[in-house]
């Protein structure tokens, strides 16, 4: 119902959808952007920019369900990450930012990383957040991609295999 309203241009419905997916999107951006980009661009800025693009293009897409909306939203974030990485890669640009999450960002990240934590660990989630991000940073790009797609984006092994052009067993 909410998705149908949003696809017809309802700002209220679109806002509710964005709000629902914001914690996961923030976790996705922090996991996918990498330390170098996060030293130059704040993850909340990347998320906000991706959301702005989704809002601007709302009439251009006809997503049938919430999974389709989520895919579109995460794709916008992925494009934003790639664009910003290219921007910073073209020439040396000054202006590193503090990559430490703010209190609001940390709350949203804890909610986004909830798939990595069991309910009994919710009380220690803030400490787990730092460890989870450090562990993701140590993984190879391929392994990190599988973990992010499975645990943060919520794709099935079959969907991950299709996206990564590999077999389901390999994921």
């Amino acid at each position: 119902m909410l998705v149908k309203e949003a696809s017809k241009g309802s700002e209220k419905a679109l806002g509710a959808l964005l709000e629902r997916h914001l914690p996961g999107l923030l976790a996705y951006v922090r996991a996918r952007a990498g330390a170098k980009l996060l030293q130059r661009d704040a993850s909340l800025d990347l998320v906000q920019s991706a959301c702005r693009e989704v809002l601007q293009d709302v009439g251009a897409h006809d997503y049938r369900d919430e999974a389709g909306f989520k895919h579109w939203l995460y794709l916008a974030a992925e494009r934003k990450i790639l664009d910003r990485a290219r921007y910073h890669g073209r020439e040396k640009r000054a202006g590193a930012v503090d990559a430490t999450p703010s209190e609001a960002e940390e709350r949203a990240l804890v909610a986004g990383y909830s798939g990595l934590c069991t309910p009994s660990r919710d009380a220690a989630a803030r400490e787990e957040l730092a460890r989870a991000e450090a562990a993701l940073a140590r993984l190879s790009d391929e392994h990190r991609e599988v973990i992010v797609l499975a645990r943060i984006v919520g794709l099935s092994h079959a969907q991950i295999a299709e996206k990564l052009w590999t077999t389901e067993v390999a994921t």
Side-chain angles (χ1 to χ4, degrees):
M1 178 86 165
L2 199 58
V3 173
K4 287 183 182 181
E5 291 177 33
S7 65
K8 292 179 183 175
S10 167
E11 290 181 21
K12 185 177 179 181
L14 188 57
L17 279 172
L18 287 172
E19 187 175 330
R20 181 181 297 170
H21 292 287
L22 191 60
L25 183 65
L26 183 56
Y28 176 78
V29 165
R30 286 195 61 88
R32 292 288 293 131
K36 283 185 178 180
L37 181 57
L38 291 177
Q39 288 176 348
R40 297 188 175 267
D41 287 315
S43 52
L44 278 176
D45 290 344
L46 295 167
V47 167
Q48 183 180 21
S49 184
C51 289
R52 185 179 61 245
E53 288 180 12
V54 166
L55 288 169
Q56 290 172 339
D57 293 342
V58 71
H61 297 277
D62 184 26
Y63 33 87
R64 297 176 186 188
D65 56 16
E66 195 158 341
F69 173 81
K70 184 178 178 182
H71 179 263
W72 178 38
L73 181 61
Y74 280 58
L75 189 59
E78 182 68 24
R79 283 192 312 262
K80 183 55 59 182
I81 290 167
L82 293 173
D83 287 347
R84 294 303 295 167
R86 266 188 244 120
Y87 171 79
H88 290 298
R90 279 195 282 270
E91 60 183 78
K92 294 187 180 196
R93 301 188 191 274
V97 298
D98 183 9
T100 306
S102 67
E103 188 176 321
E105 188 175 12
E106 193 172 83
R107 281 193 305 272
L109 283 167
V110 167
Y113 279 124
S114 64
L116 298 174
C117 301
T118 63
S120 64
R121 297 178 109 187
D122 282 346
R126 292 188 195 292
E127 294 172 8
E128 290 292 322
L129 173 62
R131 284 189 279 239
E133 285 190 338
L136 284 170
R138 288 190 302 268
L139 293 174
S140 68
D141 290 343
E142 295 81 17
H143 288 122
R144 183 175 44 254
E145 181 76 1
V146 171
I147 298 294
V148 168
L149 292 174
R151 300 305 295 246
I152 296 174
V153 179
L155 297 182
S156 69
H157 288 281
Q159 291 169 316
I160 295 169
E162 182 180 332
K163 183 172 178 61
L164 299 179
W165 297 54
T166 187
T167 65
E168 193 171 341
V169 174
T171 65

